[in-house]
Amino acid sequence: MDRFEEMRNFVRVVERKSFTKAASDLLIPRATMTNSIQRLEDRLGTRLLERTTRTVNPTRDGDAYYQRCVRILADLEEADGSFTNADPKGLLRVNLQGTLARTFIIPALPEFQGRYPGIELVLADGDRFVDLVHEGFDCVLRSGDLASSSMIGRRLALLHEATVASPDYIARTGMPETLDELKSQGHRMVCFLSGADDKPIPLDFKVDGKLVEVMLPASISVTGADSYAACASAGLGIVQVPRYRVAEDLKSGKLIEILPDCPPDPMPVSVLYPQNRQLSARVRVFVDWLSALIAGIDFAGSGRAGLLADDFDAISK
């Protein structure tokens, strides 16, 4: 077996902490993966992996070898692309925020596949925190502030948000005219849980140029963006969502905007990828394509989800 293929297999096992998952990612039998790592260890004369019934972890030698393999494989892919002018190819695992994926990205994927037919995409969607390396993803698209310093992030856009509730909810609880009324009239929020620790996210308001966080009582908590918006429509409480998601409901009266003069700060949309994959040609062309897609959408004329040009500001950073 080619040494570079052994390196590739070893890197994937370390990142996935599993022979089975690594083999599945690379579309090879598990026995082939196991034999590849065994030959690699025999050739190097050292144990690279510690195996238990539940997980696989690199030894000290294995960790050092992993770091070198990542750099070597990235350099090899970069060198091949530079001298052969060949288009990137291979497996690209991407995790996307569900609403953004369905609204903007998936409809445009035929163009990406036509441009890069050698790239095989594996898409996952969701709103939960993702450990890119250990779950085997090459990049992830997420809304919200970036907290992980171990990732390279490129901000693609700012989503303007709205604070909304259903007419039934407003009829029961009243329409707050100020933040003090919001806090004192017995209002409830739908709690959105975010991150690996399911941290509740407060409502944000901008008052006289200053950010004010408000945490209201909640009778229901969710971890997904679609469920979050659905709870507002069902009259379960107040939510803050990107305006494009609720533009039609606001227009039709199915939802009502609360405190429009104190909107939250726009929500950033970013693509993240591990530092050790920043030179991967597959990741680079996908991130560049995604950046151009977001920047090039004519929101005023597209009619997608009732978007307005001012509701979604594409930026380059």
Side-chain angles (χ1 to χ4, degrees), residues 224-245:
D226 289 338
S227 298
Y228 187 55
C231 285
S233 298
L236 294 171
I238 297 171
V239 305
Q240 287 184 332
V241 294
R243 185 174 290 274
Y244 82 85
R245 288 181 57 93

Side-chain angles (χ1 to χ4, degrees), residues 3-4 11 77 81 106 156 162 169 179 188 198 227 229 235 244 269 291:
R3 287 188 179 184
F4 289 114
V11 165
E77 185 171 344
I106 291 177
L156 304 183
Y169 173 87
L179 282 184
R188 305 185 75 83
D198 283 341
S227 298
Y244 82 85
V269 177
S291 300

Side-chain angles (χ1 to χ4, degrees), residues 33-89:
M33 178 65 74
T34 302
N35 293 335
S36 170
I37 301 302
Q38 185 62 60
R39 282 192 297 269
L40 178 61
E41 290 181 325
D42 290 344
R43 179 167 59 81
L44 296 177
T46 187
R47 190 171 183 82
L48 299 174
L49 299 170
E50 292 288 352
R51 303 154 174 88
T52 70
T53 56
R54 293 192 176 187
T55 188
V56 178
N57 292 296
T59 63
R60 181 174 296 181
D61 287 342
D63 186 61
Y65 190 67
Y66 166 78
Q67 299 297 334
R68 294 193 176 193
C69 285
V70 167
R71 292 193 295 269
I72 290 170
L73 292 172
D75 287 344
L76 176 65
E77 185 171 344
E78 185 77 9
D80 284 352
S82 298
F83 284 94
T84 64
N85 293 319
D87 289 334
K89 60 182 179 180

Side-chain angles (χ1 to χ4, degrees), residues 39 42 45 103 129 135 174 189 230 278 282 313:
R39 282 192 297 269
D42 290 344
T103 307
F129 172 83
E135 295 187 44
M189 62 186 281
Q278 58 183 306
R282 293 187 300 277
D313 296 333

Side-chain angles (χ1 to χ4, degrees), residues 166-177:
S166 72
D168 288 344
Y169 173 87
I170 296 298
R172 294 194 313 269
T173 316
M175 171 63 80
E177 300 295 337

